Amino acid sequence: MSDMELIEELIKLNDEDSKMTEKQVKILQAAIEIFSEKGYAATSTSEIARKAGVAEGTIFRHYKTKKDLLFSIVTPTLAKIVGPFIARTFVNQTVGKNKLESFEEFIRIVMKNRFEFVKKNIPIIKILLQEIAFHDEMKEQYQQIFMDNIYKKMKHVVEHFQAKGEVIECPPEAVIRMVATSIIGFLLTRFLILPEKQWNDEEEMERTIQFILHGLSTK
Amino acid sequence: MSDMELIEELIKLNDEDSKMTEKQVKILQAAIEIFSEKGYAATSTSEIARKAGVAEGTIFRHYKTKKDLLFSIVTPTLAKIVGPFIARTFVNQTVGKNKLESFEEFIRIVMKNRFEFVKKNIPIIKILLQEIAFHDEMKEQYQQIFMDNIYKKMKHVVEHFQAKGEVIECPPEAVIRMVATSIIGFLLTRFLILPEKQWNDEEEMERTIQFILHGLSTK
Amino acid sequence: MSDMELIEELIKLNDEDSKMTEKQVKILQAAIEIFSEKGYAATSTSEIARKAGVAEGTIFRHYKTKKDLLFSIVTPTLAKIVGPFIARTFVNQTVGKNKLESFEEFIRIVMKNRFEFVKKNIPIIKILLQEIAFHDEMKEQYQQIFMDNIYKKMKHVVEHFQAKGEVIECPPEAVIRMVATSIIGFLLTRFLILPEKQWNDEEEMERTIQFILHGLSTK
Amino acid sequence: MSDMELIEELIKLNDEDSKMTEKQVKILQAAIEIFSEKGYAATSTSEIARKAGVAEGTIFRHYKTKKDLLFSIVTPTLAKIVGPFIARTFVNQTVGKNKLESFEEFIRIVMKNRFEFVKKNIPIIKILLQEIAFHDEMKEQYQQIFMDNIYKKMKHVVEHFQAKGEVIECPPEAVIRMVATSIIGFLLTRFLILPEKQWNDEEEMERTIQFILHGLSTK
DNA sequence: AATGAATGAGTATTCATTCAT
DNA sequence: CATGAATGAATACTCATTCAT
């Protein structure tokens, strides 16, 4: 929980307009921990208050409803997920100024970057994965963010490397699906399904990258 | 809900020893539907009773607790997932009597088979995926079933085709992860994440199979 | 439970008009046991059914309500308590034909007789003591039985021995209270409050009798 | 209910550390009244809430469970019963400094004192008598308190007066039983069994005291 | 800003009782 | 006579939320 960059971001975010109090920080931390352990619906606000060391009423001073609390955790995370894809440098690096010469390098950058991101934000990602299924507002938010950013940029990149003959000819969305599936599949296995296994991260990431590259290679 | 083979199995299962009443069937159907829509914790027994058209007390005549009801839905499904992997024919087909000549045919059989299975049992699978994170008994059940059956058989097959030079040399569990990740990734995208998209199932399955094969090929 | 004469009486009682079935006997036995352990209100009919080895509905075939079941246990017992006081021989023995020569012998007979009665019917007496406080019909039944029989006869006896100068002059009801209090106090201590203590019954009864006699003696 | 000293004590007790709210007092009063009328098991928390004029949830804010509420009523009473027997003055008065010259005076003090105590706390005593049979924790609490205090001190006193020749030679526990039985028997008859009878309390107490004294006298 | 007492609607579960078989 | 599925009201208890302090 020490290296949880997102919580820090969360705090800073709100900090700018309204100065988060110490208690509010405690509430957020407690909520993240319990939501990720037992799920949103099975978590009571009184339990959050107890763990945060605040009175029950204090939660509602900062968050109008329990759902508000959930969204205040999850929405910034949703934004963060897009992070590297919005960064101007990202696309430039990839296709724009030709600094990035191969699809392989692209895949490797994404993998490394998302690996670090997931590693640092496991509990919030757990919450996000669980709750997105039940909250339509969340689903829409996510879809909009995904389509407008990740998908768009990815498509651009994929088409670029298809044109260069590095990636097989087939609908870019299928390529994106297979790449995403392989990377996400690895990250979930690594951090959620079998986190206690002894992992050689470098080796396993490399293997997964090679799998993707071979799977999509034109040769 | 018409072609939901698992529910029928569920009913038959209990039918053999204790004759499921009409109301009990209604309860199961209602529970599956609501659990999959809103999640176990967010579903109230009164809502299940209302949708099933029975008195609330009737639920508890058949299922001692709400959790019992959940498990009576999920446990048989857990078993069903292993289905094709326990079948004696499966391994024989694959490696035993040499009826199955290639890794490709193996992947294709698994893909087709699981595709049909998921297609017919979407709601229950949704429930399973959601709840496995929160119920340790379920996690253990699943892990035991997975390790004793799927993993074991898969490993056998993978090693067989590695020996034949059809599959790259690397730890079988990594191969299994990448195969599973690609198949499951496709199925979840197809049925849970973007079910409303126009899918050409044959084409997409074939693409995924080719992705896996190329990704793992020695050539 | 073997020497529980009252249950046998209960069975015979009903036997005369309507033939008690084996199941009905089981229900009565189970009800007595559980009522006396947990109290009437805290006992569920389903628990009685389970312990009796019958279906839940069967209880209500024989007893219209749970309260009916309670009364069918307690009412005959109420009658039994009066037993020795109604017996014609009792008063005759005492004062009528002068067979009984002293107050001492009277107290001794009552003590011995009630000792045996309580000993054989502990569970039912426990139920009676507990429930009489909460059921007005029971209280009335008991009061009527007590006033019409025990009190009346006792008063007769007490006045007889007061006239003979064996018992101090004071309102007979006060004498009855002190006698009853001493006998009942002994029996409850013996069988309910400290049943596990090592008792020398003969000695203790004799002591109690002597206490009463000295306490009421004119000398 | 006006002169109910124990309730006031109950309130003060909690008052010291945690300030009882007005509603909490109402809940206690309602609970005592209904528990004593219908018994603990037959009393519903909703009925208590209704009579106390509070929401049902309010009960559980102050008492974790219904049983907690019962114990918060009964436990301080248990302590109170021992009251006069713990008081240092009691034994000193009796045997220590010889201020108390006779067994008669001892019995008279106990009788008067317990008379007042019972008179002021009828409902709680009713609850105690009823529920002690069903709650083992209560039974143990009571037995411990009784053995460590009342019985010990009483034994001391009895042996003292046996040595002085005022009380017959027999096991002190038998003497205690007969004294207790006579006093408690009187108090229960007076306040619980026949409270509506016209009682001449002074006379009846005196009679009972004389009965005990004569019953135990060496002469 | 923070508290925590109070709430009323809601929770899972149990209950005594009914009735078709 | 006996069953046990079915019920609807009741049960103890929890919940998210409000509000006076």
Side-chain angles (χ1 to χ4, degrees):
Chain A
M1 182 126 322
S2 58
D3 57 347
M4 204 144 303
E5 64 172 11
L6 245 172
I7 297 183
E8 283 156 33
E9 297 276 340
L10 253 53
I11 296 164
K12 273 181 220 151
L13 246 171
N14 295 40
D15 210 16
E16 281 153 31
D17 1 312
S18 63
K19 278 161 206 172
M20 240 189 182
T21 68
E22 190 199 338
K23 303 248 169 189
Q24 196 168 355
V25 174
K26 286 269 176 64
I27 290 167
L28 266 184
Q29 288 174 330
I32 289 168
E33 196 169 335
I34 314 184
F35 281 164
S36 89
E37 264 169 39
K38 336 196 346 181
Y40 167 78
T43 299
S44 74
T45 50
S46 74
E47 197 182 350
I48 296 171
R50 204 180 321 121
K51 171 155 251 159
V54 305
E56 292 187 50
T58 307
I59 291 175
F60 294 91
R61 180 149 298 278
H62 296 289
Y63 306 94
K64 244 162 61 91
T65 65
K66 188 184 161 194
K67 208 164 200 174
D68 262 31
L69 176 54
L70 171 65
F71 276 69
S72 85
I73 290 166
V74 150
T75 305
T77 311
L78 237 23
K80 254 286 177 177
I81 286 173
V82 214
F85 297 90
I86 336 178
R88 205 175 306 166
T89 53
F90 177 72
V91 176
N92 286 347
Q93 259 189 338
T94 338
V95 295
K97 301 180 180 172
N98 265 12
K99 278 182 180 169
L100 204 62
E101 274 160 43
S102 65
F103 189 59
E104 175 165 357
E105 208 171 340
F106 168 70
I107 295 295
R108 185 166 285 115
I109 286 172
V110 173
M111 170 68 97
K112 292 239 156 125
N113 183 296
R114 293 300 82 187
F115 181 90
E116 293 305 323
F117 175 75
V118 171
K119 187 180 189 173
K120 284 177 186 154
N121 299 290
I122 298 168
I124 299 186
I125 284 167
K126 247 171 140 171
I127 298 172
L128 184 56
L129 284 175
Q130 286 291 336
E131 300 308 327
I132 206 161
F134 303 133
H135 306 270
D136 287 342
E137 317 93 299
M138 238 162 100
K139 216 177 293 179
E140 279 158 30
Q141 250 183 67
Y142 158 80
Q143 265 170 359
Q144 190 237 310
I145 280 176
F146 181 83
M147 289 307 272
D148 292 4
N149 295 280
I150 304 180
Y151 179 71
K152 226 157 139 186
K153 302 274 166 86
M154 280 287 278
K155 198 178 167 208
H156 198 200
V157 172
V158 166
E159 281 166 345
H160 172 79
F161 286 113
Q162 281 179 325
K164 279 185 73 178
E166 280 188 46
V167 170
I168 49 162
E169 285 301 329
C170 80
E173 64 226 58
V175 174
I176 294 170
R177 171 174 64 72
M178 291 184 286
V179 170
T181 268
S182 296
I183 293 178
I184 295 170
F186 164 62
L187 294 174
L188 295 188
T189 310
R190 169 66 183 83
F191 292 111
L192 290 183
I193 303 172
L194 296 170
E196 75 287 348
K197 198 193 152 195
Q198 297 292 344
W199 289 88
N200 182 332
D201 287 330
E202 287 306 320
E203 200 177 300
E204 212 69 40
M205 278 164 77
E206 193 52 36
R207 239 199 292 276
T208 306
I209 291 165
Q210 291 311 321
F211 170 67
I212 295 169
L213 293 173
H214 281 111
L216 296 174
S217 159
T218 49
K219 280 167 266 179
Chain B
M1 181 124 325
S2 58
D3 57 348
M4 205 144 301
E5 64 171 11
L6 245 172
I7 299 181
E8 282 157 34
E9 297 276 341
L10 251 57
I11 296 165
K12 272 181 222 152
L13 247 171
N14 295 40
D15 209 18
E16 279 154 32
D17 5 311
S18 64
K19 278 161 209 174
M20 241 189 183
T21 68
E22 190 199 338
K23 305 247 168 188
Q24 194 168 355
V25 174
K26 287 267 176 64
I27 289 167
L28 265 185
Q29 289 173 332
I32 289 169
E33 196 169 333
I34 313 184
F35 281 164
S36 88
E37 265 167 38
K38 334 199 343 182
Y40 168 79
T43 300
S44 73
T45 51
S46 74
E47 198 181 351
I48 296 171
R50 205 181 320 120
K51 169 154 254 161
V54 305
E56 210 169 341
T58 307
I59 292 174
F60 293 92
R61 173 153 296 276
H62 296 291
Y63 305 94
K64 252 160 57 93
T65 64
K66 188 184 159 194
K67 208 166 197 172
D68 258 35
L69 176 53
L70 171 65
F71 276 69
S72 86
I73 290 167
V74 149
T75 305
T77 310
L78 235 24
K80 256 283 175 175
I81 286 173
V82 213
F85 297 90
I86 343 175
R88 202 176 305 168
T89 52
F90 177 71
V91 175
N92 286 347
Q93 260 188 338
T94 338
V95 295
K97 300 182 180 168
N98 265 12
K99 278 182 184 171
L100 205 62
E101 273 159 45
S102 64
F103 189 58
E104 175 165 358
E105 207 172 340
F106 167 70
I107 295 295
R108 187 165 285 115
I109 285 173
V110 172
M111 171 65 99
K112 292 241 156 120
N113 183 297
R114 293 299 84 188
F115 180 89
E116 294 305 322
F117 175 74
V118 172
K119 187 180 190 174
K120 286 179 185 150
N121 300 290
I122 299 168
I124 299 186
I125 285 167
K126 247 169 137 171
I127 298 173
L128 184 55
L129 285 175
Q130 286 292 335
E131 300 308 325
I132 207 161
F134 302 132
H135 307 270
D136 287 342
E137 316 95 299
M138 237 163 100
K139 216 176 292 178
E140 279 158 30
Q141 251 184 63
Y142 158 80
Q143 265 170 359
Q144 190 237 309
I145 279 178
F146 181 83
M147 290 307 271
D148 292 5
N149 295 282
I150 302 180
Y151 178 73
K152 224 159 143 184
K153 301 274 165 85
M154 281 288 278
K155 197 178 167 206
H156 198 202
V157 171
V158 166
E159 282 166 345
H160 172 78
F161 287 112
Q162 282 179 324
K164 280 183 73 179
E166 282 186 47
V167 171
I168 50 162
E169 285 302 329
C170 82
E173 64 226 58
V175 174
I176 293 170
R177 172 175 62 74
M178 291 184 286
V179 170
T181 268
S182 297
I183 293 178
I184 293 170
F186 164 62
L187 294 175
L188 294 187
T189 310
R190 169 65 184 84
F191 292 112
L192 290 183
I193 302 172
L194 295 170
E196 73 287 349
K197 196 193 157 199
Q198 295 294 343
W199 289 88
N200 182 332
D201 288 329
E202 287 306 319
E203 199 177 302
E204 211 69 41
M205 280 164 75
E206 193 52 37
R207 241 198 290 276
T208 306
I209 292 166
Q210 290 311 321
F211 172 67
I212 295 169
L213 293 174
H214 280 110
L216 296 174
S217 160
T218 50
K219 281 166 265 176
Chain C
M1 183 125 322
S2 58
D3 57 348
M4 204 144 304
E5 64 172 11
L6 245 172
I7 297 182
E8 282 157 34
E9 296 276 340
L10 253 54
I11 295 164
K12 273 181 220 149
L13 247 171
N14 294 42
D15 209 18
E16 279 154 32
D17 1 312
S18 63
K19 276 161 207 171
M20 241 189 182
T21 66
E22 190 198 339
K23 304 246 167 190
Q24 196 168 355
V25 174
K26 286 269 176 63
I27 290 168
L28 266 183
Q29 290 174 329
I32 289 168
E33 195 168 335
I34 313 184
F35 281 164
S36 89
E37 264 168 39
K38 335 197 344 182
Y40 167 78
T43 300
S44 74
T45 50
S46 75
E47 197 182 350
I48 296 171
R50 205 180 321 120
K51 172 155 251 160
V54 305
E56 293 186 50
T58 308
I59 291 174
F60 294 91
R61 179 150 297 281
H62 296 289
Y63 306 94
K64 244 162 61 90
T65 65
K66 189 185 161 194
K67 208 165 199 174
D68 262 31
L69 176 54
L70 171 66
F71 277 70
S72 85
I73 290 167
V74 151
T75 306
T77 310
L78 238 23
K80 254 285 176 177
I81 286 173
V82 214
F85 297 90
I86 337 178
R88 205 176 305 168
T89 53
F90 177 71
V91 176
N92 287 347
Q93 260 189 337
T94 338
V95 295
K97 301 180 181 171
N98 265 11
K99 279 183 180 168
L100 204 61
E101 274 159 45
S102 64
F103 189 59
E104 175 164 359
E105 208 172 340
F106 168 70
I107 296 295
R108 187 165 286 113
I109 285 173
V110 173
M111 172 67 98
K112 294 239 157 125
N113 182 296
R114 293 301 82 187
F115 181 90
E116 294 304 323
F117 175 75
V118 171
K119 187 180 190 173
K120 285 176 186 153
N121 299 291
I122 298 168
I124 298 186
I125 285 167
K126 247 170 138 171
I127 298 171
L128 184 56
L129 285 174
Q130 286 290 336
E131 300 309 327
I132 206 161
F134 303 133
H135 307 270
D136 288 342
E137 317 93 300
M138 238 163 100
K139 216 177 292 179
E140 279 158 30
Q141 250 184 68
Y142 158 79
Q143 265 170 358
Q144 189 237 309
I145 280 177
F146 181 83
M147 290 306 272
D148 292 5
N149 295 281
I150 303 181
Y151 179 72
K152 225 157 141 187
K153 302 273 164 88
M154 281 286 280
K155 198 179 167 205
H156 197 202
V157 171
V158 167
E159 282 166 345
H160 172 79
F161 287 112
Q162 282 179 324
K164 279 183 75 177
E166 282 187 46
V167 170
I168 50 161
E169 285 302 329
C170 82
E173 63 226 59
V175 175
I176 293 170
R177 172 174 64 72
M178 290 183 287
V179 171
T181 268
S182 298
I183 294 178
I184 294 169
F186 164 63
L187 294 175
L188 295 187
T189 310
R190 170 66 184 84
F191 292 112
L192 290 183
I193 302 170
L194 296 169
E196 74 288 349
K197 198 194 152 195
Q198 297 292 343
W199 289 88
N200 183 333
D201 288 328
E202 286 305 319
E203 201 177 301
E204 212 70 39
M205 279 164 75
E206 193 52 36
R207 240 199 288 279
T208 306
I209 290 166
Q210 291 309 322
F211 171 68
I212 294 168
L213 293 173
H214 280 110
L216 297 175
S217 161
T218 50
K219 280 167 265 179
Chain D
M1 184 127 321
S2 58
D3 57 349
M4 204 143 301
E5 65 170 11
L6 244 172
I7 298 182
E8 282 157 35
E9 298 274 342
L10 252 55
I11 295 164
K12 271 180 224 150
L13 245 170
N14 295 42
D15 209 18
E16 280 154 32
D17 3 312
S18 65
K19 279 161 209 174
M20 241 189 183
T21 69
E22 189 199 338
K23 306 247 167 190
Q24 194 169 355
V25 174
K26 287 266 175 66
I27 290 167
L28 265 185
Q29 289 173 330
I32 289 169
E33 195 168 335
I34 315 185
F35 281 164
S36 89
E37 264 167 40
K38 335 198 345 181
Y40 168 78
T43 299
S44 73
T45 51
S46 74
E47 198 181 350
I48 295 171
R50 207 180 319 121
K51 170 154 253 160
V54 305
E56 209 168 342
T58 307
I59 292 176
F60 293 94
R61 172 154 299 275
H62 296 290
Y63 304 95
K64 251 160 57 94
T65 63
K66 189 185 159 193
K67 208 166 198 173
D68 259 33
L69 176 53
L70 171 66
F71 275 70
S72 86
I73 290 167
V74 149
T75 304
T77 310
L78 235 24
K80 256 282 174 178
I81 286 173
V82 213
F85 297 90
I86 342 176
R88 205 175 305 168
T89 53
F90 177 72
V91 175
N92 287 347
Q93 259 189 339
T94 336
V95 295
K97 301 181 180 169
N98 265 11
K99 279 183 183 170
L100 204 62
E101 273 159 45
S102 64
F103 190 58
E104 176 165 357
E105 208 173 339
F106 168 70
I107 295 295
R108 186 164 287 114
I109 286 173
V110 173
M111 171 66 98
K112 292 242 157 121
N113 184 296
R114 292 300 84 188
F115 181 89
E116 294 304 324
F117 174 76
V118 172
K119 187 180 188 174
K120 285 178 186 152
N121 299 291
I122 299 168
I124 298 185
I125 286 167
K126 246 170 138 172
I127 298 172
L128 185 54
L129 286 174
Q130 286 291 335
E131 300 309 327
I132 207 161
F134 303 132
H135 307 268
D136 287 341
E137 316 94 302
M138 238 163 99
K139 216 177 292 178
E140 279 158 29
Q141 251 183 64
Y142 158 81
Q143 265 170 359
Q144 190 237 309
I145 280 178
F146 180 84
M147 290 307 272
D148 292 5
N149 295 282
I150 303 180
Y151 178 72
K152 225 158 142 185
K153 301 274 164 87
M154 281 286 280
K155 198 179 166 205
H156 199 203
V157 172
V158 167
E159 282 166 346
H160 172 79
F161 286 112
Q162 282 179 326
K164 280 184 72 178
E166 282 187 45
V167 170
I168 51 162
E169 285 301 330
C170 82
E173 65 226 58
V175 175
I176 294 170
R177 172 175 63 73
M178 291 184 287
V179 171
T181 268
S182 298
I183 294 178
I184 294 169
F186 164 62
L187 295 173
L188 295 187
T189 310
R190 169 67 183 84
F191 292 112
L192 289 183
I193 303 171
L194 296 169
E196 74 287 349
K197 199 193 153 197
Q198 295 295 342
W199 289 87
N200 182 331
D201 288 331
E202 287 305 321
E203 199 177 302
E204 212 69 41
M205 279 164 75
E206 193 52 38
R207 239 199 291 278
T208 307
I209 291 165
Q210 291 309 322
F211 171 67
I212 295 169
L213 293 172
H214 280 112
L216 297 174
S217 160
T218 49
K219 281 167 263 179

